[in-house]
Amino acid sequence: MNCPYCRNADSRVVDSRVADDGVSIRRRRQCTACSRRFTTTETASLSVLKQSGAVEPFSRNKVINGVRKACQGRPVTDHDLAILAQEVEEAVRTSGAAEIPAHQVGLAILEPLSRLDEVAYLRFASVYHNFQSLTDFENAIGRLRDRRSNTPQGNQRPLTAE
């Protein structure tokens, strides 16, 4: 890291703290040449391997934009979508891999979206799983009903913050 004041390439770490709910580290540095202090933020990179073979950085905004289409006309707020995107990122980071297939990101979206809004879930799943018939929809609805009947009401966790 070059000093932003004198462009010297050498600095020492004065203080380190966890930031952004453990996703990044905030470091306070001091330049060895000019002695001025500056702050850096370090995060582990996470890349998505697309079906075409291209690799791009993981983006919460891409998750939000993809899910937003399924949520059109539904009572889902931007805050709800931000929480969902955070949950998806946490889920894919737990794999420990620096590069994750796009398919795995899509799978990580399905569970929190089903808890957020079942209609939006069906819309997203119908495109993601390429539903071809009413039977595909009926099967997905059946799985939602089974899960709902097997989950005690008190244990259902809404995505929205209280």
Side-chain angles (χ1 to χ4, degrees):
M1 176 72 206
N2 291 335
C3 172
Y5 305 107
C6 71
R7 309 304 298 162
N8 179 39
D10 193 29
S11 64
R12 67 182 185 88
V13 176
V14 177
D15 183 41
S16 292
R17 297 179 188 205
V18 175
D20 295 332
D21 298 328
V23 175
S24 62
I25 297 175
R26 180 184 171 274
R27 298 196 192 276
R28 192 74 178 136
R29 298 179 175 272
Q30 184 172 12
C31 177
T32 57
C34 70
S35 298
R36 294 183 75 178
R37 292 184 177 195
F38 56 97
T39 302
T40 60
T41 304
E42 299 174 15
T43 58
S45 65
L46 179 63
S47 300
V48 176
L49 177 62
K50 308 289 274 186
Q51 289 178 350
S52 66
V55 177
E56 63 182 46
F58 176 86
S59 168
R60 285 186 187 182
N61 286 334
K62 285 191 89 166
V63 170
I64 290 170
N65 290 337
V67 173
R68 180 174 279 134
K69 292 172 188 168
C71 294
Q72 280 183 322
R74 302 298 304 154
V76 176
T77 66
D78 286 342
H79 179 72
D80 294 335
L81 293 176
I83 291 171
L84 181 134
Q86 179 179 350
E87 192 172 330
V88 168
E89 182 175 3
E90 290 169 1
V92 295
R93 282 191 185 275
T94 59
S95 74
E99 191 173 276
I100 215 103
H103 179 72
Q104 198 169 342
V105 175
L107 290 175
I109 290 171
L110 292 171
E111 173 61 28
L113 184 57
S114 71
R115 289 192 318 268
L116 178 63
D117 189 280
E118 291 174 340
V119 172
Y121 165 81
L122 286 172
R123 290 175 177 172
F124 187 86
S126 71
V127 173
Y128 186 73
H129 289 302
N130 196 22
F131 287 5
Q132 297 294 317
S133 67
L134 287 176
T135 305
D136 294 334
F137 280 96
E138 290 168 347
N139 292 337
I141 291 168
R143 285 190 299 273
L144 283 173
R145 284 188 177 133
D146 289 345
R147 194 172 72 213
R148 186 189 291 168
S149 66
N150 292 333
T151 305
Q153 287 290 26
N155 290 347
Q156 280 188 325
R157 186 176 74 76
L159 266 181
T160 55
E162 297 188 27

